Amino acid sequence: MSQSTSLQEPHADHGHDHKNHDHNHGHGHEHSHAHDHAAPAKKKAAPPAIGCGACCGGSTHSHADGDDDDHAGHDHGVLPGWPRIYAALAVALGAEVAHWYQLQYVGMALAIIAILLSGLGVYKAGIQSLVKLKLGIHALMAVAVTGAFLIGQWPEAAMVMALYAAAERIEDQAMDKARNAIRSLLNLAPETADVMQPDGSIAKTAVNDVPMGATVRIAPGALVPLDGTVTQGQSAVNQAPITGESQLADKAVGDALYAGSVNQNGELQMQVTAPPGNTLLARIVHAVEEAQASRAPTQRFVDRFAQIYTPIVFVLALLLAVLAPLLADWSWHDAIYQALALLVIACPCALVISTPVTVVSALTAAAKRGILIKGGSALEEARKLKVIALDKTGTLTTGSPALVHWQALAAGDDADAAHVAWQLASRSDHPVSRAIAAGLAKTLPANLENTVQDLKALPGRGVEGQVHGTRYVLANLRMIREMNLDTPALEALLSEQEKQGRTVTLLADDQSVRALFAVADPLRATSREAVQLLKAVGVEPIVLSGDNTATVKAVAAEAGIEDARGSLLPEDKLQLLAEFQKTKGPTAMTGDGINDAPALAKADVGFAMGGAHSTGMAMETAAVVLMNDDLRRIPDTVRLSQSAHSILWQNISLALGIKVVFFILALTGHATMWMAVVADMGVSLLVVANGLRLRNWSAK
């Protein structure tokens, strides 16, 4: 990569969709997802707060923000630990026994102790909430428990507060379990590495202290401690924790290794290419954590609903307490008691927590399958997809093209044309250029001099450069036509190659076309099955490619896709995506690098191939990254989105349904504080358990 074409300009397209794969993973390349990982965060950094911070009128800031009264009760500074909760439950039970035996003062004392053990933090947060005129769960609980105590229901007040604290603590731990599941991946990477010393000895070194460029030995059966490149040895490696693929990956000299994968059967030596905090594994975890911290559209809607709903219910409870004795011949005691029960059941904690626990569990399940979904919005949008535009090269095909045929178009020009083409191709990082350079290198003498100057990328066309003062282009037919160098004979030659599904690149100077190079890129083994699965979930696949139309249609037909469009520039793809979104519905785009970035951003959901190679542009732009380049993960994402949507609305319906039932009971005078707390906390735990089911989701 001696020219800036590899990263700073769009790659030469050669008439097809090869992208600039950034193979710098670990070689000093950092994208923003890893910018704060200067030091390894594993086992130390706390994940972002997810929880239902907006519950009952709060906000969804992190727990450290300190500007909300309760964060739905998921605040370790408010809720006591389990020993105090156990003690509070025991003392509250004692208060109940004292009440049965009419030991009033003993019972009241025990009730006060139980409330102080379990609810002191809740009272403090509730008072702060009331001062700020925010009616959160702690404010509601403080008012309800105090009111119950004052009207003589002190055993219920004590037990309600103790049960509330216990249920909220269980709920809090369940959310932590969902939120932290992905962070457990970081524990896969060992804390030490066997570093080769200059004298040939081995020093066991903490991974934090292993310098870039160091040589590390990985014994058979050992975990890979850092990202690196194999410098010696051959072995099979289990990369399932990183890519989600079940099959072992064969590794040899020059291949990439990723921290957290397991060396199977042969000793390897590798050169470290990334610091501990910037390994692919660390970046995956960080990206998922950021996604978990973002709020899905359904969650934002529920949060807004809760902020309006809670004050309304508070007013309704107040009206019930005041008007029922005047209009319905209730006693003041009964009216106040039913109003307090209504306050307890009013908290929409179950409603609000139903969304984040479901989304977090779904994101974690996806990451374990090699699908990196960057937020709840992408997760929810995937189920709506009607069309998916697929890039050809590197997406439907392997992206590892090989030179299968070449010929000089002038007699006796073979050696010179091959040398010039090799010089241009070897200075470009384009996959087709690399294939041409590698193929020609096998036939040319070793140690050839590369004299190309002023190499430039021609987006959507190819590359050009000066060789011994002459301008040459290595480009597609579009560029040749623009140079007015195409002939019927040339187009016939190209048509013959394209019918075989080959991509043709031409070498030309300003006067004539010098040579033809045909490159073939095999279809991915999973492409046909992926296309069938996409159709099964109601998503129409369409191929959009910069390659010539004949080649695109040949590859698409092989994959089972009817609609294929070729000879497209990046701006053409954007125009077609906009057309599909207008006429067909929500549209996804799948690509594998820099040239696809605009389309990935334009699509309703962008899927990036090549996650295991960490193309910075793809990771930044796409909403979903397929870590193992397996197209079957796209229909998996659609099905996961459908499952998450179903569970979301199961939870929302359940939470609201239980609330409605108890509202009716309270308004008709049949609710009790016990029933209210069991209903509120019980349904909270139920929706959490239902949402957590997605952690073990698998495609069927």
Side-chain angles (χ1 to χ4, degrees):
M1 284 187 237
S2 56
Q3 295 286 339
S4 62
T5 52
S6 63
L7 289 177
Q8 296 172 355
E9 296 180 27
H11 256 301
D13 201 11
H14 292 280
H16 39 74
D17 285 318
H18 296 286
K19 309 296 176 297
N20 176 18
H21 295 275
D22 178 7
H23 290 285
N24 284 342
H25 42 282
H27 299 278
H29 172 71
E30 288 187 25
H31 58 70
S32 65
H33 286 315
H35 70 274
D36 59 352
H37 284 287
K42 76 172 186 171
K43 302 181 184 178
K44 292 183 180 180
I50 305 298
C52 54
C55 180
C56 308
S59 61
T60 336
H61 303 299
S62 74
H63 294 171
D65 288 347
D67 62 349
D68 180 50
D69 68 302
D70 44 60
H71 303 284
H74 302 287
D75 188 337
H76 295 284
V78 171
L79 293 175
W82 279 114
R84 284 177 58 190
I85 291 175
Y86 291 143
L89 287 168
V91 175
L93 184 59
E96 287 283 357
V97 172
H99 179 67
W100 294 339
Y101 287 99
Q102 298 183 347
L103 302 174
Q104 181 175 358
Y105 295 108
V106 173
M108 290 179 65
L110 291 175
I112 291 172
I113 293 171
I115 292 171
L116 292 177
L117 282 172
S118 58
L120 191 59
V122 173
Y123 266 103
K124 180 180 177 182
I127 292 170
Q128 291 174 347
S129 176
L130 289 171
V131 168
K132 297 176 183 177
L133 299 180
K134 290 184 178 180
L135 299 178
I137 176 60
H138 294 149
L140 295 182
M141 287 302 300
V143 171
V145 170
T146 302
F149 194 93
L150 292 177
I151 64 173
Q153 301 296 326
W154 34 267
E156 287 193 43
M159 190 59 75
V160 162
M161 184 62 83
L163 286 174
Y164 165 76
E168 286 289 271
R169 178 58 68 186
I170 293 172
E171 189 179 293
D172 194 41
Q173 291 176 341
M175 272 304 305
D176 284 343
K177 185 182 295 184
R179 191 171 58 225
N180 294 337
I182 190 65
R183 282 203 70 83
S184 64
L185 288 177
L186 278 181
N187 297 333
L188 295 173
E191 296 183 338
T192 60
D194 292 339
V195 180
M196 304 285 291
Q197 303 300 303
D199 61 1
S201 63
I202 301 293
K204 191 170 288 294
T205 308
V207 291
N208 293 359
D209 300 327
V210 177
M212 292 280 288
T215 299
V216 173
R217 184 189 68 180
I218 303 121
L223 288 164
V224 178
L226 294 157
D227 284 5
T229 303
V230 178
T231 57
Q232 184 175 316
Q234 292 183 337
S235 184
V237 173
N238 179 4
Q239 298 184 152
I242 296 94
T243 66
E245 58 187 330
S246 57
Q247 294 184 345
L248 298 179
D250 293 326
K251 298 293 183 178
V253 174
D255 291 334
L257 289 173
Y258 305 109
S261 44
V262 184
N263 184 22
Q264 297 294 304
N265 48 30
E267 182 175 290
L268 294 172
Q269 291 184 15
M270 75 170 192
Q271 184 178 42
V272 175
T273 57
N278 197 31
T279 63
L280 179 60
L281 184 62
R283 298 205 306 271
I284 291 171
V285 170
H286 186 60
V288 173
E289 286 177 347
E290 285 188 334
Q292 290 176 347
S294 68
R295 293 196 293 169
T298 301
Q299 185 178 351
R300 291 195 295 268
F301 165 76
V302 169
D303 288 347
R304 289 194 297 269
F305 175 80
Q307 291 172 353
I308 298 170
Y309 157 92
T310 307
I312 290 175
V313 173
F314 195 92
V315 171
L316 286 176
L318 186 61
L319 291 175
L320 179 65
V322 173
L323 297 180
L326 301 177
L327 303 179
D329 198 29
W330 286 20
S331 70
W332 286 101
H333 179 281
D334 289 344
I336 293 172
Y337 181 83
Q338 293 298 322
L340 295 173
L342 186 59
L343 286 183
V344 174
I345 192 61
C347 175
C349 196
L351 176 65
V352 178
I353 200 174
S354 66
T355 49
V357 71
T358 303
V359 171
V360 168
S361 296
L363 295 176
T364 300
K368 289 179 178 178
R369 293 183 60 79
I371 307 168
L372 181 57
I373 303 176
K374 294 163 61 177
S377 294
L379 175 68
E380 291 199 36
E381 193 69 25
R383 70 179 179 84
K384 305 175 186 176
L385 293 177
K386 300 299 181 185
V387 178
I388 184 163
L390 298 164
D391 176 33
K392 180 180 75 69
T393 306
T395 301
L396 279 176
T397 62
T398 63
S400 301
L403 182 65
V404 294
H405 172 78
W406 80 274
Q407 65 184 83
L409 301 183
D413 197 25
D414 292 29
D416 187 49
H419 187 197
V420 172
W422 173 81
Q423 290 185 76
L424 290 170
S426 62
R427 292 282 292 276
S428 171
D429 196 37
H430 194 286
V432 163
S433 294
R434 291 199 300 267
I436 293 172
L440 292 175
K442 298 175 183 177
T443 62
L444 293 171
N447 300 320
L448 281 175
E449 183 181 4
N450 193 325
T451 60
V452 68
Q453 296 178 335
D454 299 327
L455 186 73
K456 297 178 182 178
L458 305 173
R461 293 163 178 79
V463 292
E464 71 171 39
Q466 298 278 340
V467 179
H468 298 306
T470 301
R471 173 181 177 260
Y472 290 95
V473 297
L474 189 63
N476 58 19
L477 182 59
R478 181 189 294 116
M479 182 66 185
I480 299 304
R481 285 172 176 165
E482 291 175 2
M483 296 171 66
N484 295 317
L485 297 178
D486 62 313
T487 64
L490 177 65
E491 299 214 19
L493 282 175
L494 266 65
S495 178
E496 182 181 338
Q497 295 295 327
E498 290 164 358
K499 287 177 182 177
Q500 302 175 60
R502 297 172 177 176
T503 295
V504 179
T505 301
L506 301 166
L507 175 69
D509 55 26
D510 290 332
Q511 282 75 44
S512 63
V513 178
R514 299 279 301 276
L516 172 153
F517 302 89
V519 169
D521 185 12
L523 199 69
R524 288 186 186 275
T526 59
S527 291
R528 294 186 193 87
E529 183 182 355
V531 168
Q532 294 173 354
L533 292 172
L534 282 168
K535 292 178 179 178
V537 296
V539 180
E540 177 189 358
I542 299 175
V543 180
L544 302 182
S545 174
D547 207 344
N548 67 82
T549 302
T551 300
V552 173
K553 287 187 177 295
V555 172
E558 188 180 357
I561 299 174
E562 296 79 20
D563 193 346
R565 313 186 188 194
S567 302
L568 301 174
L569 294 172
E571 53 265 34
D572 298 327
K573 293 183 182 181
L574 286 175
Q575 184 176 351
L576 284 170
L577 280 177
E579 180 184 323
F580 294 156
Q581 288 169 326
K582 184 177 180 180
T583 60
K584 296 176 180 288
T587 302
M589 174 68 194
T590 306
D592 69 328
I594 287 177
N595 281 3
D596 284 325
L600 289 172
K602 172 70 175 176
D604 293 285
V605 180
F607 291 86
M609 304 290 287
H613 298 295
S614 294
T615 56
M617 187 65 74
M619 289 283 284
E620 291 295 333
T621 307
V624 182
V625 180
L626 308 180
M627 301 306 297
N628 57 7
D629 291 346
D630 189 342
L631 283 175
R632 294 174 299 182
R633 297 295 180 254
I634 299 176
D636 283 355
T637 304
V638 175
R639 285 197 292 267
L640 176 61
S641 174
Q642 292 169 344
S643 296
H645 178 75
S646 175
I647 289 178
L648 274 174
W649 284 99
Q650 286 173 18
N651 285 345
I652 290 171
S653 301
L654 183 63
L656 287 178
I658 296 293
K659 300 293 183 190
V660 169
V661 169
F662 276 85
F663 283 166
I664 294 172
L665 288 174
L667 293 174
T668 57
H670 295 92
T672 68
M673 295 281 284
W674 277 93
M675 292 165 61
V677 75
V678 168
D680 182 55
M681 295 299 105
V683 75
S684 293
L685 299 180
L686 194 57
V687 299
V688 166
N690 195 32
L692 286 177
R693 290 192 298 123
L694 276 178
R695 288 189 306 150
N696 300 316
W697 179 89
S698 62
K700 298 178 181 178

